[in-house]
C-alpha cells in the first residue's frame, strides 16, 4: 500500500540536492541548438530589440527566473551593448545557486543568487521568462502569480511548466483546474511544448501544502518537484 509523501517546506526544499544542485539550464545560450530561442519558440533579444527600434527612449526590462549559468543573459548583454549602446535597458537573472558563467560587463545586467519565491523586481518588466525552472520550485502556483504580476501592460510571459506536477491532497493531478485558471486569465498553455505564454494574471485560489522531491523524473527526464495544494 503506497504511503503518503513527506512534504517539504520551501526552506528545506531549497536546501535539497534536487533543487540546489540541479543541472537544468546550465549551458543554454541565447540562440542556436541549445538555446532560449529554440526552447521558447522566440528570440528574447528580438522581442526587446523590437521595442527599442520602435522607441529608442523606451525603458526596457527582461527578468529571467532560474537563469542557471546566465549564459543567455551574458550573450544578450554583449549584443545589446553592440547594437543599442545608449538604450535604457535592464536585464535581471535570478538563480538559487551562484553558478554564473561570468560577471556582468555593464550596469545593465544583474545576476542575483537568491530565491525567486521571495524576490521582488525594481520595476515592471517587458519580458519575464522561466526556462525549465518551475520544475524545481515548491510553490509553483505562487511563483507563476508573482511573475505575471511583474509584467508591464504590453509585456510577455513565457515559462516551461508541467501542470501534472500540481497535486491535490490525495495525490491526484490538478491539471484541468490549473490549465483552466491559466486560460481564464488570458494566458495560453501549450500542451505539446509544456509552456505558458502570453499576458495575464491568474489567481489559482489554492493553499500550498508542501513539496515532494521523491516523485522521480518529469517529462524532461530530470528529477523534479511535485507540489501539493488544497482548493
Amino acid at each position: 500500500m503506497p504511503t503518503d509523501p513527506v512534504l517539504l517546506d520551501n526552506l528545506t526544499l531549497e536546501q535539497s540536492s534536487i533543487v540546489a544542485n540541479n543541472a537544468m539550464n546550465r549551458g543554454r545560450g541565447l540562440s542556436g541548438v541549445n538555446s532560449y530561442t529554440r526552447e521558447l519558440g522566440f528570440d528574447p533579444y528580438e522581442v526587446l530589440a523590437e521595442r527599442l527600434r520602435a522607441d529608442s527612449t523606451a525603458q526596457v526590462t527582461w527578468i529571467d527566473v532560474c537563469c542557471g549559468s546566465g549564459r543567455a543573459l551574458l550573450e544578450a548583454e554583449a549584443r545589446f551593448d553592440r547594437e543599442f549602446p545608449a538604450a535604457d535597458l535592464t536585464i535581471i537573472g535570478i538563480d538559487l545557486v551562484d553558478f554564473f558563467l561570468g560577471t556582468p560587463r555593464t550596469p545593465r545586467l544583474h545576476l542575483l543568487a537568491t530565491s525567486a519565491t521571495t524576490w521582488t523586481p525594481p520595476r515592471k518588466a517587458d519580458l519575464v521568462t522561466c526556462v525549465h525552472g518551475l520544475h524545481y520550485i515548491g510553490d509553483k502556483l505562487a511563483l507563476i502569480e508573482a511573475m505575471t504580476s511583474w509584467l508591464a501592460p504590453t509585456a510577455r510571459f513565457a515559462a516551461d511548466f508541467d501542470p501534472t506536477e500540481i497535486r491535490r491532497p490525495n495525490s491526484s493531478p490538478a491539471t484541468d483546474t490549473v490549465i483552466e485558471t491559466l486560460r481564464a486569465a488570458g494566458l495560453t498553455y501549450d500542451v505539446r511544448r509544456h509552456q505558458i505564454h502570453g499576458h495575464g494574471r491568474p489567481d489559482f485560489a489554492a493553499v500550498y501544502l508542501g513539496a515532494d522531491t521523491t516523485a522521480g523524473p518529469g517529462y524532461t527526464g530530470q528529477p523534479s518537484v511535485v507540489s501539493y495544494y488544497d482548493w
Side-chain angles (χ1 to χ4, degrees):
M1 183 174 181
T3 58
D4 293 334
V6 175
L7 301 184
L8 307 180
D9 59 36
N10 277 338
L11 181 59
T12 306
L13 176 67
E14 289 178 353
Q15 295 172 341
S16 71
S17 59
I18 287 180
V19 173
N21 295 309
N22 80 75
M24 295 297 287
N25 210 25
R26 292 301 175 202
R28 191 171 280 111
L30 184 62
S31 60
V33 175
N34 182 28
S35 69
Y36 276 40
T37 298
R38 183 180 179 87
E39 179 62 37
L40 295 173
F42 66 89
D43 184 344
Y45 177 88
E46 284 300 323
V47 169
L48 302 177
E50 184 177 346
R51 295 185 184 276
L52 292 172
R53 292 181 189 117
D55 179 5
S56 62
T57 66
Q59 188 181 63
V60 175
T61 300
W62 174 17
I63 300 173
D64 185 40
V65 178
C66 302
C67 67
S69 70
R71 178 183 170 188
L73 308 187
L74 289 160
E75 291 176 0
E77 176 195 33
R79 188 172 172 188
F80 275 113
D81 196 42
R82 292 193 304 270
E83 300 181 18
F84 296 93
D88 186 354
L89 172 74
T90 300
I91 304 173
I92 301 172
I94 305 165
D95 200 85
L96 185 63
V97 181
D98 185 355
F99 194 68
F100 303 127
L101 188 63
T103 56
R105 288 167 289 182
T106 71
R108 291 171 157 183
L109 176 59
H110 307 267
L111 296 176
L112 309 177
T114 189
S115 172
T117 61
T118 58
W119 181 81
T120 54
R123 66 191 193 192
K124 296 292 186 180
D126 299 272
L127 177 63
V128 177
T129 54
C130 184
V131 177
H132 289 302
L134 283 167
H135 310 311
Y136 305 101
I137 299 296
D139 195 348
K140 306 179 201 300
L141 301 186
L143 184 55
I144 291 171
E145 290 175 345
M147 290 189 291
T148 55
S149 76
W150 303 342
L151 299 171
T154 59
R156 183 172 186 174
F157 174 61
D160 293 293
F161 175 58
D162 183 1
T164 66
E165 294 176 347
I166 307 299
R167 304 288 175 86
R168 298 182 184 276
N170 64 0
S171 295
S172 64
T175 305
D176 291 345
T177 298
V178 172
I179 293 177
E180 287 170 6
T181 302
L182 291 170
R183 290 174 175 167
L187 293 159
T188 297
Y189 183 72
D190 187 326
V191 176
R192 184 181 64 83
R193 295 178 66 94
H194 301 93
Q195 286 181 346
I196 308 169
H197 284 270
H199 188 287
R201 291 190 62 178
D203 180 3
F204 294 101
V207 177
Y208 177 59
L209 303 177
D212 176 20
T213 61
T214 66
Y219 74 87
T220 65
Q222 297 286 338
S224 62
V225 172
V226 171
S227 305
Y228 280 73
Y229 294 84
D230 199 2
W231 273 263

